[in-house]
Amino acid sequence: MSDTCTKCGMPQDLCVCDSIAREDQQITVKLDSRSYNKEMTVVTGLDDESDIKDLESTLKTKLACGGTHKDGQIELQGDHRRRIVDILEDEGFSRTNIEVK
């Protein structure tokens, strides 16, 4: 017998809790200036720590940049505000819940 999800009670292979949680998150993307006037794109509003690590790796690969995750946010080197919304939407986040500053 398959395991059931503790949140929705559905079998694990039919569980949609993760995709629903991704659609409900309010994400903010903003540009920050670091030392020597280097630009840094900061993504905040992500809930799950393991999700942040996987998403950071995906963003760095697709945007061809360096970066890190700390304090519940993802920091990417450079200004990626134009492309990041499309990538986040491809990853399952709702476009209407992504605010770019």
Side-chain angles (χ1 to χ4, degrees):
M1 191 149 152
S2 66
D3 295 327
T4 59
C5 176
T6 57
K7 293 180 185 177
C8 65
M10 299 286 289
Q12 289 290 357
D13 55 343
L14 298 176
C15 179
V16 293
C17 293
D18 291 335
S19 61
I20 290 172
R22 281 186 170 215
E23 290 176 2
D24 291 340
Q25 290 182 6
Q26 295 291 337
I27 299 173
T28 303
V29 179
K30 64 182 178 179
L31 188 66
D32 196 8
S33 181
R34 299 297 167 125
S35 59
Y36 304 109
N37 291 327
K38 297 289 184 179
E39 295 177 331
M40 181 80 73
T41 303
V42 180
V43 181
T44 58
L46 301 167
D47 293 335
D48 190 17
E49 183 64 33
S50 63
D51 188 37
I52 290 175
K53 186 175 181 178
D54 294 337
L55 185 60
E56 173 216 351
S57 178
T58 302
L59 290 172
K60 288 189 325 184
T61 302
K62 290 186 177 183
L63 295 171
C65 68
T68 186
H69 68 279
K70 59 182 176 181
D71 300 328
Q73 64 185 15
I74 299 174
E75 299 176 351
L76 302 169
Q77 296 173 351
D79 184 2
H80 301 285
R81 293 176 293 174
R82 289 183 302 137
R83 294 186 51 213
I84 200 163
V85 176
D86 294 330
I87 296 171
L88 288 173
E89 186 178 23
D90 291 343
E91 292 298 314
F93 296 98
S94 175
R95 183 178 283 269
T96 57
N97 292 342
I98 301 172
E99 179 184 3
V100 179
K101 293 183 177 180

